[in-house]
C-alpha cells in the first residue's frame, strides 16, 4: 500500500508543479514593461482575462474601472493592477484594430510568455 501512496503523491506533486509553472508568467514585470502595458489600458475599456495553459475555455470580460502600477517589494519588479487587483499580462487581452481580435498584453509590453495565443477569437 505504501508504494501506491508514494506514487500517487508523486503524480499529484508533478501535476501541481506543472500547473504552477504557468502561473505568473508576466505578473511581475520590469518597470518599463508595466508602463508600456498601462499605456494600452483605459478607463471604461473592456479587456479579457484568458489563461489558455490553465484550461480556460471562454475569456472573462472585465470593464476597467481603475488602472495602476506599483512595486511588489521583490527585487526591482512591478505589477500592473486593474480594478485594484494584480493582473498577469500573459493572460490579459486588450482590444486591437487587427481584425478586431483582442491582442495579448504581454506581447504588446515586451514580456515573453509561453503557451498563450497572440490573439483570442470569439
Amino acid at each position: 500500500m505504501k508504494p501506491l501512496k508514494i506514487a500517487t503523491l508523486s503524480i499529484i506533486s508533478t501535476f501541481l508543479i506543472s500547473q504552477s509553472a504557468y502561473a505568473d508568467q508576466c505578473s511581475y514585470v520590469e518597470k518599463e514593461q508595466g508602463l508600456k502595458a498601462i499605456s494600452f489600458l483605459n478607463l471604461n475599456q473592456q479587456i479579457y482575462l484568458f489563461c489558455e495553459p490553465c484550461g480556460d475555455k471562454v475569456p472573462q470580460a472585465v470593464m476597467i474601472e481603475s488602472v495602476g502600477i506599483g512595486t511588489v517589494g521583490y527585487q526591482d519588479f512591478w505589477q500592473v493592477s486593474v480594478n485594484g487587483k494584480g493582473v498577469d499580462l500573459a493572460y490579459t487581452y486588450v482590444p486591437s484594430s487587427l481584425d478586431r481580435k483582442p491582442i495579448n498584453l504581454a506581447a504588446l509590453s515586451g514580456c515573453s510568455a509561453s503557451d498563450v495565443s497572440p490573439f483570442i477569437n470569439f
Side-chain angles (χ1 to χ4, degrees):
M1 201 66 157
K2 279 194 181 240
L4 180 58
K5 285 184 181 179
I6 292 171
T8 303
L9 184 58
S10 177
I11 291 169
I12 292 170
S13 297
T14 302
F15 174 76
L16 292 174
I17 289 169
S18 67
Q19 290 292 16
S20 66
Y22 290 121
D24 302 329
Q25 290 190 60
C26 294
S27 183
Y28 289 7
V29 294
E30 296 173 4
K31 182 179 181 179
E32 296 76 24
Q33 292 170 323
L35 290 171
K36 191 163 187 182
I38 64 169
S39 74
F40 293 100
L41 302 173
N42 301 303
L43 295 179
N44 300 314
Q45 174 187 39
Q46 186 165 296
I47 62 171
Y48 301 91
L49 304 179
F50 184 57
C51 181
E52 284 177 280
C54 304
D56 288 357
K57 301 294 182 205
V58 178
Q60 175 190 358
V62 174
M63 185 65 67
I64 296 177
E65 297 172 8
S66 66
V67 176
I69 182 173
T71 61
V72 295
Y74 176 71
Q75 296 180 359
D76 291 327
F77 289 111
W78 292 66
Q79 186 173 46
V80 172
S81 63
V82 172
N83 301 339
K85 187 175 181 180
V87 295
D88 190 323
L89 307 182
Y91 312 128
T92 305
Y93 291 79
V94 297
S96 76
S97 58
L98 290 170
D99 297 328
R100 303 173 70 77
K101 297 177 191 176
I103 189 169
N104 184 270
L105 188 55
L108 292 172
S109 306
C111 182
S112 180
S114 60
D115 299 321
V116 295
S117 298
F119 299 95
I120 51 175
N121 295 307
F122 295 101

